[in-house]
Amino acid sequence: IEIYMLTTTKAIFLHTTRLSGNKVVIHLYTKDFGRVSIVANNLHRKNSDLKMSLLTPFSLFNLTFNFQEKKDLHRYEELVPYYIFQQIPFSPIRSALSLFMTEIVYRSIKERQTDESLFSFLEKSIIYLDEIDDCNKELALFHFLFLAGFSKELGFFPRIETYEEGSFFDLEEGAFYKNVSPNGRLLNANDSFLFYSILSAIDKNELNKLSFSRETKQLILYHFIEYFSIHIAGFSRLKSLDILIQLFD
């Protein structure tokens, strides 16, 4: 007989999937159990304890639920916000960025694996996005900051120390090379320099010193997404990408 364990953990909202009737599966990334899915009923009813309106991208909750190791779906007792966004709901750019972050994480993390360092990074990232000043240049480059940090947490941050002038970035190897195979998935020398520039600035905490045109930021973003699609199995097209690009247009 498998024993249910009633436990409470921090959780980040990622996605919902509708089932038959009034049932909804809520997909979360938790501090203590990694990715977890819970089943909720009647979220649209007025007397429901949990409202759909609370399930906004990357919302932060305290989750109390019945954890069962061999189950994919769990029953929850309580899902209560522990941080209330102050700026994200009222800022189209911040909202688009939080949606983008949510989709990146949802498509990247598919297994139940505990990683407190990763959870801490995700939690700090969304709070920083909520608190950052509008005049801070990092807001317009926040998606790069997040993607770089996320790739570092997942173990495939590009090896920027391999860069030298005129080298090419190999998307599969995650490193820069002077002498390259014609069969490799490479960025040209100019795009490689741009990719290196933003990664190096992020690594040195000097992102505020950078200034890129709209076209250049789009180019770097597409390369970042291509890089993720190579290093994460089953990483499909992002629906939020077009929205993000339109807002920064």
Side-chain angles (χ1 to χ4, degrees):
I1 299 174
E2 189 169 2
I3 300 173
Y4 287 92
M5 179 177 67
L6 186 64
T7 185
T8 299
T9 183
K10 286 184 172 182
I12 298 169
F13 170 71
L14 298 178
H15 189 65
T16 57
T17 304
R18 292 191 178 277
L19 298 178
S20 59
N22 294 316
K23 290 184 178 180
V24 174
V25 177
I26 302 172
H27 305 280
L28 306 158
Y29 185 72
T30 69
K31 180 180 179 181
D32 299 308
F33 301 94
R35 183 156 162 175
V36 164
S37 298
I38 60 173
V39 179
N41 297 312
N42 304 315
L43 293 185
H44 294 285
R45 288 188 177 180
K46 292 182 179 180
N47 61 349
S48 174
D49 293 332
L50 177 64
K51 305 295 184 185
M52 282 293 291
S53 59
L54 291 175
L55 300 177
T56 58
F58 239 83
S59 295
L60 302 174
F61 292 95
N62 282 318
L63 167 67
T64 301
F65 73 119
N66 290 297
F67 177 74
Q68 194 174 13
E69 180 67 38
K70 295 181 180 180
K71 292 281 188 179
D72 292 326
L73 295 177
H74 306 274
R75 297 183 216 167
Y76 82 99
E77 295 288 328
E78 199 171 45
L79 190 64
V80 181
Y82 68 84
Y83 178 89
I84 304 299
F85 295 139
Q86 300 300 310
Q87 297 194 77
I88 290 175
F90 313 105
S91 166
I93 288 177
R94 293 171 205 264
S95 295
L97 284 167
S98 66
L99 179 61
F100 175 75
M101 291 165 62
T102 303
E103 192 173 11
I104 288 285
V105 176
Y106 177 70
R107 296 186 184 281
S108 300
I109 304 174
K110 302 179 178 69
E111 297 180 4
R112 185 192 301 158
Q113 185 172 351
T114 304
D115 190 334
E116 290 193 17
S117 174
L118 175 56
F119 184 89
S120 177
F121 164 75
L122 297 174
E123 180 185 47
K124 289 176 181 176
S125 295
I126 194 64
I127 292 175
Y128 180 61
L129 176 61
D130 190 52
E131 294 179 345
I132 189 174
D133 291 333
D134 286 332
C135 58
N136 192 323
K137 285 176 66 177
E138 284 193 3
L139 181 59
L141 299 172
F142 181 83
H143 40 320
F144 300 126
L145 187 66
F146 176 76
L147 289 170
F150 192 41
S151 69
K152 188 173 291 188
E153 289 291 333
L154 296 182
F156 58 88
F157 182 76
R159 303 202 303 275
I160 56 176
E161 71 278 2
T162 59
Y163 179 80
E164 54 182 301
E165 187 176 354
S167 59
F168 301 85
F169 184 68
D170 189 313
L171 290 160
E172 292 180 340
E173 297 296 327
F176 297 88
Y177 296 97
K178 270 280 192 176
N179 301 311
V180 295
S181 165
N183 298 321
R185 296 184 66 171
L186 307 171
L187 303 186
N188 63 41
N190 182 64
D191 289 4
S192 295
F193 171 71
L194 293 172
F195 202 52
Y196 165 76
S197 297
I198 200 159
L199 289 168
S200 178
I202 290 170
D203 193 58
K204 297 174 183 176
N205 198 25
E206 296 177 348
L207 201 57
N208 270 318
K209 295 182 180 180
L210 294 182
S211 181
F212 290 122
S213 68
R214 175 179 58 84
E215 291 79 9
T216 298
K217 285 189 285 189
Q218 284 188 18
L219 180 67
I220 296 172
L221 181 56
Y222 283 130
H223 288 326
F224 250 122
I225 298 303
E226 184 180 7
Y227 185 59
F228 266 71
S229 69
I230 291 171
H231 290 271
I232 297 175
F235 190 87
S236 54
R237 174 173 171 76
L238 300 171
K239 297 178 181 178
S240 59
L241 186 59
D242 291 339
I243 298 172
L244 191 64
I245 287 173
Q246 289 173 14
L247 280 172
F248 280 106
D249 197 341

